[in-house]
Amino acid sequence: MEKKNIAGRSEKIMKICFYTLITIFALSCLFPFLLMVTSSFMSEKEIVSEGYKLIPDTVSLSAYKFLFRNFTNLFNAYRVTIFIAVTGTVFGLFFMSMAGYVLCRKDFRYRNQISFFIYFTTLFSGGLIPTYMLYVNGLGLKDSIWSMVLPGLMSPWSIFLMKNFMKSIPDSLYESANIDGANDFRIYWQIYMPLAKASLATIGLFQILGYWNEWYNAMLYIQTPAKFPLQYFLQRIVSQANIQLLIQQGLTINTGDLPSESIKMATAVIATGPIVLLYPFVQKYFVSGLTIGAVKG
Amino acid sequence: MVLIKTVMILCCRKEENNLKSIKLHLDHFVHEVKKKYILFLMVLPVLIYFFIFAYIPMPGAYIAFVDYNIGKGIFGSAFVGLKNFEFLFRTGDLLRITKNTILYNLVFLILGNAFQIIFAVMISEVGNKWFKKISQSIILLPYFISMVIVGFFSYNLFNFDYGFINTILAGLGFPKHEFYSDQGIWKYIIVFFKIWSGTGYGMIIYLASIAGIEQDIYEAASLDGASPMQKIRYITFPMLKPTMILLILFGLGGILKGSFDLFYNLIGTNSVLYPQTDVIDTFVFRSLVGQFNFSQGAAVGFYQSVFGLVLVLTVNAIVKKIEPDSALF
Amino acid sequence: MIKKVVSTILAVTVAAGLVTGCANKNTNEGAAKTKDSNGVNLVMYLYGTEGVANKDVLSALNEKLKASINTTLEIKYIDWNDVATKYPLLWASGEKFDMAYVSGTAPVPYATLAKQGTLADITDLLTSEAPSLKSAIGDDYWKSMKVNGKIYGVPSTYSEYTAYGFVTRKDLLEKTGIANVNSVEDMEHYMDAAKENGWAPLNGSANLSMDLYRMFVGTTSDWIDAPGVPNTEMYLTSSLGNTDKVFHPAFTSEFETFAVKMHEWAEKGYWGKDVLSSAQDDKDNFYNGLSASYISHQPDWTGSYGTQKMKLPDVETEFYAFAEAANKIERKMGVENATGISANSKYPDRCLKVIEKLMTDKECYDLFQYGILGREYEVTDGMIKQPDTFNSDKDGFGFAGWGLRTDLLNIPQATEDPRRYTLNEEWGKSAIDNPYAGFSFDSSSVSSQLSAISNVDSQLGIQIMLGLTKQEPKEAVAEYRKQLEAAGIKDVIKAVNDQLTEYTSAEKK
């Protein structure tokens, strides 16, 4: 069903305002990204002497050549990231949506206590050392791919969002299914999940984004280069961070060989590109009116 | 509050009553589990996950109260009470950085959510499908640009000698502006960058929420002669309220934390700007760089956590009185 | 229900306490994977990344090691970027390994590791298991490794004089008729001339403040660096004649004069107005042709020779060492690059033997430091060069093995400025020993003061160094002194002096 468009004047003005505001903001978001892309095609000399430009004087592919020299490793890093993203998202969505369902059930006596139990973990944490020891000594996950999947698998924020979305699904659906004799899991799986498409898409997108950006756990736990995820792999190529500190300690590094500014830009482009292409596919779930028909039926 | 009540109950009631009520609770609990075992099973994975990955390491926070010795481990190191918190008080900066942190986070939270809601509504209202999709994707782009690069761009924009803005100013005949020595302007710049990078991401939630609103309501309103603005004001916004409250409550828990990347990369070592832009995380980073001291960092983390806990418990209790459905717990 | 949650949390606390507490104790499993009854595999942690050819070089090395001492070596890496996080974690997590790079300036300093029981005491082992190593390394070097009289690591003996100085371009010197830069006044002439000729004189970033501080200490009477406050900020100093009494330069009149001068330099525009936020530092700018000078230490300058030839092909550079005039150039202590043996290691004796081989056996040394002859390097005219057949995709190699370098076996590199060796020789004759070798400051009683001081330094301190204070320099200095005192500088100085007195009297016995 489509929204009936009352083409009143006020509506037209409102829409024009909206289009304008959105465009202005979108341009401010696009501009830096474009700058990054064009700068990745610049030669290092030009960047150093004249800064980033939208229209470079000379186009140079040296940054990309450098990155793709390592093609097999880069490809591998993509594979690792895709694996942890898919695994983590599928399992995470499954477990978290179940939890969201349970927490939104008003007849579940302990939902407040469990909510607090989950929420409390966002406030207090043991810190790096105990967590590290849990993963490495306690669970033996050093250098294991699971050390990148597990940390982000479930997040309190997503669980609460899930619960929030599910609360908006009308109770009448639950009641009628209950009367028909369905148990909670069936109701969850056959009724709530199809209706929660928008929320699954949202949380799923967030999970994927989180795993896509994963580098910290790789830094802590992964040693085999073949298991490096994309962001960490790219970061290592660009690393110059501690060179200055080392020099202050009296060590000498031949900095002439270190990658240049254009490579920093190129890695940023490579890191972002694919995921932005994913977003349009997910957007179709944010279309209004998914619950229509369910209540009427 | 719940915990304080519990502790009081445990301490003050007579032992006999204590045991009786525990047994009563246990009985109720077992009965409930039997009746609703499917629900319990469904929530069990999540409970196990947090138990293992969050609660088991949690006692390690004790490191904030010891003189940490690597050889002796966290629990073997000497207990020193609140000594690790001392450095926060020594320079007299604690009040200032706490104030800065809270103010920035409040602005980020409220203004940020406002922008996210407004853009979500605007994008939902415009008709053209391609415009919707493309603008959503573009607005999400800043989320992917790391703060390090934002720092570079910022420097390229604002620096005195050849920054983009100063070049334009000079070209138009205006005097150049020393942005990096101007204390007053950075709070606006920082808020701008935070909102710029966060709107695309936060907007997604509100878009999904709007998608869940039934269309019949809008149609009924149209039939009643409501204008588009009125529809937004009286239908869309109220439907988004629970989500907004949820996100704000979550944000309050982290009121003293966060955004280190943003501040560190935009301001970094420019101490001239610190009075207006120093937050707890950057302050602590600078204090501890050069020393090997996990404990002091953990002490600050503890301070941030306790503050957040108290704040959330208070606000949650208030929300519970006004809109019980939207409270966190 | 709530009570249940609370009691569960309490139970978890106890249980977790046991888990995390136990994980730290030394389990007797040890790190060695025995290949056969006698063969032993040892694990060593170094900074850096694994080069493509590292495995090949390592297996060539292991052939020799297995043949002579029935031991093989495995290297694990801590990437440059991650050192600050992973290095402390390596020790704190109780991970099992045998050896690692240690240093007085590592994220967890050598002395701290030794005092907290994470390193093996090798004082006696040295005599029994590796006597030739013991004699190959001179007593002065061993002295710098002593903590409470015992030795916990093997120092490197590669001479370095990390004297800080001012690097200039010869073409600019000639153009402006200045013979050479040999004093701070000369520096000013050079920079004024540079500015007149359209150059940014000393175009740097915030860390320029520390370089200027070092210039100040180096060029002021007989002051030398002293322990107490970390070297990454405005550290304490002492007088050569009285090294047991440290003080903070900020409380001297020389410091006031210096602050005024720095303010002048800032006004003259020696560095950019946005120096505090700049991303490029002075050395990078120099080699990109965007700065007329930079400040760094001699090994960095000589080591950048390769970069210089590549980026500034027709330019020659000169170096003015701040501490040279007053004969204050110090020999670098071996402890700044050393190798420690983990207290966890099951085979500390084998570890020592491996270290001995790596530092005294020429073939092993060359393999470890330079790679495979003919593939990674060749020696022409007594210098190390990359062979023409070198392909960085297949032959790229590197071990950050600075902890194992020795003067005796070191071969100069073609990418080093040859003046490194001539200067070193010259300085070797007049250099002084660091009077604090063997002394390690225990900062646990003043750690909150140090954090507070760190904050004062990163705010007002840096601003004074770069002449960017809002107040007049002398007022700023007065304010700085006030802030330092509020932060507790007097406590720190007292603690250092007390510990020094104790140390010296113990030494005399």
Side-chain angles (χ1 to χ4, degrees):
Chain A
M1 276 214 224
E2 290 179 55
K3 218 157 129 174
K4 282 201 212 134
N5 269 335
I6 306 178
R9 250 192 91 205
S10 57
E11 184 165 336
K12 267 217 183 104
I13 297 180
M14 183 184 86
K15 291 232 167 125
I16 294 180
C17 277
F18 285 177
Y19 274 103
T20 322
L21 288 171
I22 296 177
T23 311
I24 296 179
F25 192 71
L27 282 177
S28 78
C29 296
L30 186 60
F31 176 68
F33 192 76
L34 273 182
L35 200 59
M36 255 171 46
V37 174
T38 54
S39 302
S40 66
F41 288 104
M42 284 171 71
S43 69
E44 192 199 345
K45 253 189 154 359
E46 211 186 323
I47 294 190
V48 163
S49 46
E50 300 181 44
Y52 308 117
K53 283 203 204 144
L54 265 185
I55 306 180
D57 291 336
T58 39
V59 172
S60 144
L61 288 175
S62 56
Y64 288 99
K65 275 199 210 138
F66 179 84
L67 287 178
F68 283 100
R69 248 171 50 184
N70 250 323
F71 185 68
T72 29
N73 293 343
L74 183 64
F75 185 67
N76 205 40
Y78 266 108
R79 265 185 15 190
V80 171
T81 299
I82 292 178
F83 174 77
I84 61 177
V86 170
T87 321
T89 305
V90 168
F91 280 111
L93 272 183
F94 180 56
F95 293 130
M96 288 198 288
S97 57
M98 280 203 294
Y101 170 76
V102 171
L103 289 179
C104 81
R105 293 254 46 80
K106 294 205 177 66
D107 51 308
F108 185 64
R109 257 183 91 176
Y110 299 107
R111 63 185 203 283
N112 279 341
Q113 289 85 345
I114 293 190
S115 296
F116 185 72
F117 178 79
I118 297 177
Y119 178 72
F120 190 76
T121 66
T122 65
L123 293 174
F124 287 90
S125 144
L128 182 58
I129 299 183
T131 312
Y132 184 84
M133 295 200 324
L134 173 70
Y135 275 90
V136 173
N137 301 339
L139 298 172
L141 289 178
K142 178 122 189 150
D143 209 24
S144 155
I145 283 219
W146 297 102
S147 68
M148 293 188 282
V149 177
L150 286 172
L153 191 63
M154 307 193 205
S155 96
W157 191 73
S158 300
I159 295 178
F160 277 91
L161 274 175
M162 211 68 219
K163 159 185 164 190
N164 200 44
F165 282 125
M166 290 198 164
K167 264 205 266 190
S168 63
I169 294 176
D171 272 344
S172 40
L173 291 171
Y174 174 78
E175 273 145 30
S176 52
N178 211 5
I179 294 174
D180 285 345
N183 70 29
D184 274 307
F185 186 77
R186 271 191 67 191
I187 300 180
Y188 152 78
W189 188 251
Q190 292 180 330
I191 300 185
Y192 274 69
M193 288 296 264
L195 290 178
K197 282 213 186 84
S199 56
L200 286 174
T202 311
I203 309 285
L205 182 66
F206 288 151
Q207 287 285 96
I208 294 185
L209 286 179
Y211 281 113
W212 187 262
N213 288 336
E214 161 60 44
W215 68 272
Y216 186 67
N217 294 303
M219 185 257 291
L220 287 179
Y221 304 113
I222 304 291
Q223 281 170 331
T224 324
K227 295 189 192 157
F228 288 154
L230 184 64
Q231 302 293 346
Y232 187 55
F233 173 78
L234 291 175
Q235 253 190 41
R236 284 163 60 104
I237 295 187
V238 179
S239 74
Q240 284 195 52
N242 278 327
I243 301 298
Q244 196 58 34
L245 187 59
L246 290 170
I247 290 178
Q248 289 183 341
Q249 290 176 9
L251 303 158
T252 68
I253 319 284
N254 197 347
T255 52
D257 298 339
L258 289 176
S260 62
E261 299 293 317
S262 63
I263 291 186
K264 279 193 197 131
M265 295 291 124
T267 56
V269 173
I270 292 189
T272 312
I275 203 71
V276 179
L277 299 176
L278 172 69
Y279 188 27
F281 294 105
V282 183
Q283 281 166 4
K284 70 174 189 224
Y285 293 107
F286 304 154
V287 168
S288 7
L290 282 173
T291 38
I292 316 275
V295 182
K296 305 235 169 104
Chain B
M1 273 193 200
V2 154
L3 289 174
I4 297 176
K5 241 175 46 184
T6 315
V7 170
M8 277 174 48
I9 294 174
L10 285 174
C11 298
C12 300
R13 279 224 200 125
K14 287 196 192 147
E15 264 211 37
E16 217 180 71
N17 283 346
N18 230 351
L19 285 173
K20 263 206 201 135
S21 52
I22 291 182
K23 185 155 190 303
L24 204 61
H25 274 284
L26 267 174
D27 279 339
H28 278 181
F29 181 65
V30 172
H31 174 80
E32 191 74 14
V33 174
K34 281 205 199 132
K35 207 171 79 170
K36 297 259 163 83
Y37 72 96
I38 294 191
L39 284 181
F40 274 97
L41 280 179
M42 285 171 75
V43 84
L44 199 59
V46 166
L47 293 179
I48 296 180
Y49 176 85
F50 284 111
F51 178 73
I52 298 181
F53 292 103
Y55 283 98
I56 288 197
M58 218 185 266
Y62 176 64
I63 196 178
F65 300 98
V66 302
D67 181 11
Y68 180 59
N69 178 310
I70 303 181
K72 298 191 190 146
I74 297 181
F75 293 95
S77 300
F79 179 74
V80 290
L82 296 176
K83 182 161 164 256
N84 287 317
F85 295 83
E86 250 182 55
F87 80 101
L88 288 171
F89 299 99
R90 272 187 178 268
T91 49
D93 286 332
L94 184 59
L95 206 58
R96 182 194 70 178
I97 54 178
T98 307
K99 182 185 96 177
N100 278 351
T101 314
I102 294 183
L103 285 178
Y104 274 112
N105 277 331
L106 275 179
V107 173
F108 291 160
L109 198 55
I110 296 180
L111 206 57
N113 270 294
F115 264 76
Q116 289 158 19
I117 294 180
I118 293 175
F119 275 94
V121 169
M122 287 203 288
I123 291 189
S124 308
E125 290 288 325
V126 297
N128 189 319
K129 236 171 73 176
W130 286 111
F131 184 79
K132 273 209 247 252
K133 281 197 168 191
I134 295 181
S135 59
Q136 273 181 44
S137 297
I138 294 182
I139 297 184
L140 185 59
L141 282 178
Y143 168 76
F144 296 101
I145 302 185
S146 83
M147 280 301 154
V148 177
I149 297 187
V150 173
F152 284 150
F153 280 157
S154 162
Y155 187 68
N156 270 295
L157 268 179
F158 295 114
N159 81 64
F160 186 76
D161 294 319
Y162 56 85
F164 191 65
I165 293 191
N166 275 326
T167 318
I168 294 188
L169 281 177
L172 291 174
F174 293 115
K176 287 194 192 178
H177 188 79
E178 277 185 55
F179 284 96
Y180 280 96
S181 316
D182 179 351
Q183 283 184 349
I185 204 169
W186 280 91
K187 45 184 182 282
Y188 303 108
I189 299 182
I190 290 179
V191 171
F192 169 76
F193 276 117
K194 178 75 178 180
I195 304 232
W196 172 83
S197 78
T199 298
Y201 189 83
M203 181 173 86
I204 298 179
I205 305 175
Y206 289 110
L207 281 171
S209 295
I210 294 177
I213 302 177
E214 292 171 25
Q215 288 306 294
D216 327 19
I217 309 184
Y218 285 112
E219 277 161 33
S222 302
L223 289 175
D224 282 345
S227 77
M229 281 305 264
Q230 281 175 322
K231 277 192 268 186
I232 295 178
R233 228 181 114 196
Y234 294 110
I235 304 179
T236 318
F237 280 162
M239 295 296 255
L240 292 180
K241 210 161 49 153
T243 312
M244 191 184 77
I245 295 182
L246 174 69
L247 290 178
I248 291 188
L249 272 174
F250 252 91
L252 286 178
I255 196 86
L256 281 190
K257 305 189 206 194
S259 302
F260 173 75
D261 278 340
L262 176 71
F263 286 92
Y264 183 67
N265 283 297
L266 278 181
I267 307 289
T269 43
N270 193 341
S271 50
V272 172
L273 303 177
Y274 286 166
Q276 307 294 330
T277 62
D278 209 16
V279 291
I280 294 184
D281 284 343
T282 45
F283 177 86
V284 171
F285 178 77
R286 286 199 316 272
S287 308
L288 301 181
V289 98
Q291 268 193 78
F292 163 65
N293 202 323
F294 276 116
S295 300
Q296 288 185 355
V300 177
F302 197 79
Y303 163 62
Q304 294 168 312
S305 301
V306 170
F307 196 97
L309 177 67
V310 169
L311 188 60
V312 170
L313 286 176
T314 318
V315 178
N316 191 56
I318 298 178
V319 170
K320 223 171 180 165
K321 297 238 159 67
I322 307 179
E323 287 225 20
D325 245 2
S326 293
L328 275 183
F329 39 81
Chain C
M1 181 57 208
I2 299 166
K3 287 187 206 131
K4 189 155 191 357
V5 171
V6 170
S7 48
T8 317
I9 294 182
L10 285 174
V12 164
T13 312
V14 173
L18 292 173
V19 166
T20 44
C22 283
N24 249 327
K25 291 214 187 94
N26 296 340
T27 53
N28 268 330
E29 236 182 86
K33 295 185 290 224
T34 40
K35 286 192 176 164
D36 49 14
S37 56
N38 273 321
V40 157
N41 185 48
L42 302 174
V43 175
M44 182 193 287
Y45 265 98
L46 295 174
Y47 290 172
T49 45
E50 180 163 17
V52 200
N54 280 19
K55 281 211 164 64
D56 294 339
V57 177
L58 203 50
S59 50
L61 177 65
N62 277 331
E63 266 176 46
K64 301 203 189 302
L65 288 178
K66 189 123 176 69
S68 49
I69 51 177
N70 206 358
T71 314
T72 50
L73 186 62
E74 184 186 332
I75 308 280
K76 291 198 178 167
Y77 304 87
I78 300 183
D79 196 53
W80 300 113
N81 248 354
D82 315 328
V83 167
T85 319
K86 284 178 96 165
Y87 189 79
L89 213 46
L90 178 68
W91 303 98
S93 66
E95 178 167 339
K96 301 183 195 93
F97 59 94
D98 298 286
M99 298 172 271
Y101 170 77
V102 295
S103 163
T105 50
V108 188
Y110 163 74
T112 313
L113 287 174
K115 285 191 212 156
Q116 295 192 354
T118 53
L119 293 178
D121 176 355
I122 54 174
T123 334
D124 302 321
L125 271 181
L126 270 174
T127 338
S128 54
E129 298 291 332
S132 56
L133 181 66
K134 182 156 190 229
S135 49
I137 298 179
D139 273 338
D140 325 325
Y141 286 100
W142 287 120
K143 183 160 179 236
S144 71
M145 303 300 288
K146 286 216 176 128
V147 177
N148 294 335
K150 302 227 171 262
I151 299 177
Y152 293 88
V154 182
S156 59
T157 62
Y158 179 61
S159 297
E160 275 193 311
Y161 300 89
T162 48
Y164 272 79
F166 185 70
V167 180
T168 52
R169 293 173 61 125
K170 204 133 181 238
D171 53 358
L172 258 179
L173 283 171
E174 280 166 10
K175 201 167 176 195
T176 55
I178 304 176
N180 206 345
V181 171
N182 280 321
S183 65
V184 178
E185 286 76 40
D186 288 343
M187 278 172 68
E188 285 185 279
H189 290 155
Y190 178 80
M191 291 196 279
D192 285 331
K195 196 135 177 83
E196 276 166 39
N197 275 287
W199 281 87
L202 188 53
N203 189 4
S205 62
N207 55 28
L208 187 58
S209 59
M210 273 320 293
D211 291 334
L212 292 169
Y213 186 76
R214 291 196 189 96
M215 176 187 84
F216 168 59
V217 173
T219 52
T220 309
S221 67
D222 64 348
W223 291 2
I224 55 169
D225 302 355
V229 174
N231 267 30
T232 44
E233 42 186 279
M234 282 97 230
Y235 47 82
L236 299 172
T237 51
S238 67
S239 217
L240 252 185
N242 191 0
T243 56
D244 273 1
K245 279 258 159 324
V246 308
F247 58 91
H248 196 300
F251 293 92
T252 61
S253 55
E254 286 96 334
F255 189 77
E256 275 183 1
T257 327
F258 173 69
V260 173
K261 189 189 279 282
M262 288 303 104
H263 184 75
E264 269 172 37
W265 287 17
E267 298 267 293
K268 284 207 231 179
Y270 284 175
W271 43 79
K273 283 203 194 293
D274 291 330
V275 63
L276 284 177
S277 296
S278 172
Q280 298 287 98
D281 71 3
D282 47 349
K283 182 171 152 214
D284 285 338
N285 279 333
F286 182 84
Y287 287 115
N288 283 320
L290 296 172
S291 172
S293 61
Y294 72 96
I295 299 180
S296 185
H297 55 68
Q298 186 250 61
D300 188 25
W301 168 61
T302 52
S304 301
Y305 194 56
T307 312
Q308 183 188 310
K309 286 206 281 202
M310 197 172 68
K311 288 191 165 180
L312 300 173
D314 301 313
V315 176
E316 279 178 48
T317 54
E318 292 291 337
F319 187 79
Y320 155 53
F322 299 135
E324 197 170 4
N327 274 334
K328 289 189 296 176
I329 298 192
E330 290 179 25
R331 250 175 229 111
K332 190 157 154 167
M333 300 189 283
V335 74
E336 304 207 24
N337 289 306
T339 314
I341 300 176
S342 166
N344 265 339
S345 169
K346 217 173 164 200
Y347 298 99
D349 48 337
R350 293 293 182 107
C351 291
L352 268 183
K353 286 196 153 58
V354 170
I355 297 179
E356 188 180 48
K357 276 267 171 240
L358 288 175
M359 290 179 83
T360 56
D361 178 314
K362 178 163 168 62
E363 283 182 356
C364 291
Y365 186 88
D366 287 347
L367 269 174
F368 193 70
Q369 300 287 344
Y370 308 117
I372 297 179
L373 183 59
R375 185 174 154 186
E376 269 81 37
Y377 75 101
E378 34 182 47
V379 185
T380 340
D381 299 327
M383 290 205 292
I384 301 263
K385 255 183 55 176
Q386 265 178 11
D388 296 325
T389 51
F390 183 83
N391 175 357
S392 60
D393 286 341
K394 284 193 292 136
D395 304 320
F397 155 83
F399 286 125
W402 327 297
L404 297 149
R405 286 195 289 196
T406 64
D407 267 343
L408 225 57
L409 294 173
N410 178 55
I411 310 175
Q413 311 236 1
T415 50
E416 286 175 315
D417 192 322
R419 282 176 287 186
R420 179 185 189 284
Y421 294 95
T422 46
L423 271 177
N424 280 3
E425 225 187 283
E426 209 186 293
W427 288 349
K429 299 187 200 128
S430 58
I432 54 174
D433 283 324
N434 189 322
Y436 300 107
F439 170 72
S440 57
F441 175 56
D442 185 348
S443 63
S444 45
S445 59
V446 288
S447 58
S448 34
Q449 286 88 332
L450 284 175
S451 299
I453 291 172
S454 189
N455 235 294
V456 174
D457 280 336
S458 66
Q459 294 189 58
L460 195 49
I462 294 188
Q463 287 175 24
I464 292 182
M465 291 302 123
L466 292 169
L468 293 174
T469 52
K470 275 204 296 238
Q471 308 141 302
E472 285 304 307
K474 292 219 169 143
E475 277 173 40
V477 172
E479 174 69 27
Y480 183 54
R481 290 174 182 170
K482 225 174 69 178
Q483 286 185 4
L484 279 177
E485 284 184 344
I489 190 74
K490 293 226 166 91
D491 300 335
V492 178
I493 293 181
K494 180 166 186 315
V496 179
N497 285 340
D498 286 346
Q499 289 184 26
L500 271 175
T501 327
E502 224 183 282
Y503 173 75
T504 341
S505 49
E507 282 285 297
K508 294 214 174 97
K509 286 193 194 133

